[in-house]
Every structure is written in structure tokens, then in C-alpha cells.
Amino acid sequence: MTKTENPDRMTAAVAAAAATVGQAMAGRRSTRAFRADPVARETIEQILALAARAPSGSNIQPWKVHVLAGEARARAVAAMTADHSAGSPRASWGYTYYPVKWRAPYQERRRALGWSLYGLLGIGRGDVDRMQAQERRNYAFFDAPVGLLITIDRDMEQGSWVDVGIFVGQVLIAAEAMGLQTCPQAALATYDDVLREVAGLDPGEQIVCGIAIGHADPDDVTARLETPREPVEGFARFLGFPD
């Protein structure tokens, strides 16, 4: 800071920036219904430029992004939804996403989310057709005008997957800060082969997840979905601090 700078003004600027970031983090949610309003390529580029400041081991930046809009998005959606509607067996996950054996508390949290969503939609237990229809909305990016495919080279190790996860989080927060909403979609990784063909992915790339980006539809019933979070004391330990 130079002698001519006002320290109070600098503090206010930092506080304002922190408030903006905090609002974006607190406001972020997984949106499951979007309006058709288009999103400009320049906006997506700005979001990705911000997200690219994410840290990575030795700065290798192992993430890759394929942005789908217009006809490219339409081809991907048509291929995935047609396959899903036909009940065709999907390729298995290219990686293990969920626990092999579910246990508490994770199983309870997953079930709570599922039944909260189905409850809002009026989908009852055993209503397989409507469950499948809701699942299929994943493969239409929940009608968002832009879909991202996040990939990583197959020869990368676990540390690089952590780096990609941090990058994905940065994308979500950057989009929220710019007035857009998102939904990260690990389900798209199950269509790795289909998307590889329609999006022209390199054989050496593995889809990590998709991200739907657009303007949320506040009138959709899913906008009322609440996803509770554990309080800090439920997942964090503080060592060495005074009582």
C-alpha cells in the first residue's frame, strides 16, 4: 500500500469482495429447471477464466472443458435421452463415484434428498415411470441452454481428480456470482461413450461430470427443494485453539 492509499477504503473494498463471494457460495444450489434464456459465449468464457485460477498440484491444470450449446447441445441431448427412453443398457461409470457399500450417515442423506425431491414432484414409491422421466431430465441438462462436459486425461491419478473437483467448484461459484445458476451432473459420466461420439472427445479423455448453466426457472416446483447441510461442529475438529 502506498502512502496515498486510504487503509479504510482498502478494507472496505476487501470486505465488499468477501461479501460478494460469500453471497455466491451461500446462494449456490443445484438447479433442476432452467429457463430457455440464452447465455452468451463471452459469459461462459469469463466464468471459465475465473475458475481456471483454481489451484492444482505443480500447476498442471488437469481439467478440460467442452462447452455445448445450440446444435451441439441438441445432438448430445437427443442421443442421451433416446438411449435412456429405450431402456438401453448404459456403459458403466468410467470411475467409482458412489460408495460400493452404502452406510450411515451417507445412505440416510442420499435417501432424504431423493424423497424430498420426489415428494415435491408428487412421485410416490414404486412409480418407476415417473422416476425414470425425472432421471431423464438430467440428460437434457434440465433444459439449461448451455452444458459443460468436464474431462480429465485417463492417465491422471487421484491427486489430479481432486484438482478437477476444486475447478468444478470454482465454476459453480463464478457462475453464481455472475447471476447464473448451475447443476453439477455426475450422471453424465455414465454416457461417456455416447458423448465421446457426439461431442468428438479424444479417446484419452474421461468424462468426470457435466454442468448445466443458465437462468433458473423460479416457478418450477423443484425450486422449493431444500438441501440441509451439516453444521460445522458436525464435520470439523478444532485442535490447539483456546477454549
Side-chain angles (χ1 to χ4, degrees):
M1 185 174 66
T2 66
K3 292 182 179 180
T4 58
E5 290 176 332
N6 185 327
D8 293 333
R9 182 172 297 174
M10 294 293 289
T11 300
V14 171
T20 299
V21 173
Q23 289 169 0
M25 295 178 73
R28 189 219 66 81
R29 54 173 294 152
S30 293
T31 296
R32 293 175 173 84
F34 291 84
R35 303 198 309 262
D37 307 33
V39 177
R41 171 175 173 167
E42 292 76 14
T43 302
I44 301 298
E45 289 177 342
Q46 290 172 4
I47 290 169
L48 295 178
L50 288 170
R53 297 303 306 171
S56 60
S58 298
N59 196 36
I60 66 171
Q61 306 171 61
W63 47 80
K64 296 181 181 179
V65 183
H66 305 267
V67 184
L68 305 181
E71 285 300 315
R73 176 198 170 280
R75 287 194 302 272
V77 168
M80 290 189 290
T81 55
D83 187 85
H84 188 276
S85 296
S88 303
R90 281 174 282 164
S92 60
W93 290 86
Y95 62 96
T96 303
Y97 186 86
Y98 286 113
V100 175
K101 184 176 181 180
W102 286 97
R103 60 177 175 82
Y106 312 112
Q107 185 174 40
E108 287 76 9
R109 292 173 185 165
R110 185 191 195 200
R111 286 175 173 170
L113 172 62
W115 290 118
S116 293
L117 176 60
Y118 288 160
L120 286 171
L121 294 167
I123 300 175
R125 295 178 185 272
D127 195 345
V128 177
D129 288 343
R130 292 191 65 195
M131 289 180 183
Q132 289 292 307
Q134 178 60 28
E135 180 182 66
R136 192 153 51 247
R137 286 185 51 72
N138 266 289
Y139 308 119
F141 294 102
F142 295 108
D143 297 328
V146 176
L148 308 185
L149 300 180
I150 311 297
T151 69
I152 189 172
D153 288 344
R154 294 179 183 273
D155 59 352
M156 293 291 99
E157 298 293 347
Q158 290 177 324
S160 291
W161 282 74
V162 172
D163 297 339
V164 173
I166 297 172
F167 171 79
V168 168
Q170 298 268 83
V171 171
L172 306 183
I173 299 304
E176 186 73 28
M178 296 182 68
L180 295 172
Q181 288 71 52
T182 59
C183 186
Q185 300 173 274
L188 269 62
T190 63
Y191 276 105
D192 188 276
D193 289 347
V194 171
L195 291 170
R196 180 173 313 285
E197 181 177 350
V198 298
L201 304 186
D202 187 278
E205 293 179 62
Q206 160 72 52
I207 293 178
V208 177
C209 67
I211 302 176
I213 299 185
H215 297 276
D217 179 357
D219 298 325
D220 190 88
V221 67
T222 60
R224 302 203 302 266
L225 180 65
E226 297 289 340
T227 55
R229 294 296 190 270
E230 283 290 302
V232 172
E233 60 268 23
F235 61 83
R237 296 173 63 225
F238 292 86
L239 310 178
F241 287 87
D243 293 334

